[in-house]
Amino acid sequence: GIGLGKKLPIYVIKPKDWQSTYGLGKLTGYSRKKALKDICTRMYPKLNKVTNNTCDAVLILHTFINAPEKYKK
């Protein structure tokens, strides 16, 4: 809605691209989610209530901020 109305650019970051940044190897399922949450909590200790769901959004943003040229079209 608002982003499209303001003509903000859209970037696509595939899960395997941003998750590979954090070196989780062959972890899957709950173990992978817990590892991502632990990484997020260590990187951003002042964020309150980081959950298994919200840590994905934080880490995707972190990945983009640190390498925007990789994801710009």
Side-chain angles (χ1 to χ4, degrees):
I2 293 173
L4 290 175
K6 297 280 187 181
K7 299 187 186 215
L8 296 175
I10 296 172
Y11 303 98
V12 176
I13 303 176
K14 296 177 184 173
K16 76 175 192 174
D17 291 338
W18 72 265
Q19 290 177 5
S20 68
T21 304
Y22 301 102
L24 300 177
K26 302 279 183 188
L27 288 178
T28 60
Y30 179 77
S31 298
R32 183 179 201 81
K33 293 295 281 181
K34 183 176 181 332
L36 288 168
K37 181 182 172 193
D38 291 343
I39 291 167
C40 184
T41 302
R42 282 194 308 273
M43 291 172 68
Y44 296 98
K46 293 184 180 181
L47 286 179
N48 293 327
K49 297 185 181 184
V50 173
T51 67
N52 285 343
N53 295 322
T54 60
C55 74
D56 286 2
V58 172
L59 293 176
I60 290 168
L61 179 61
H62 178 86
T63 302
F64 177 77
I65 287 171
N66 286 288
E69 66 285 345
K70 183 177 178 181
Y71 303 103
K72 289 183 179 178
K73 293 181 180 183

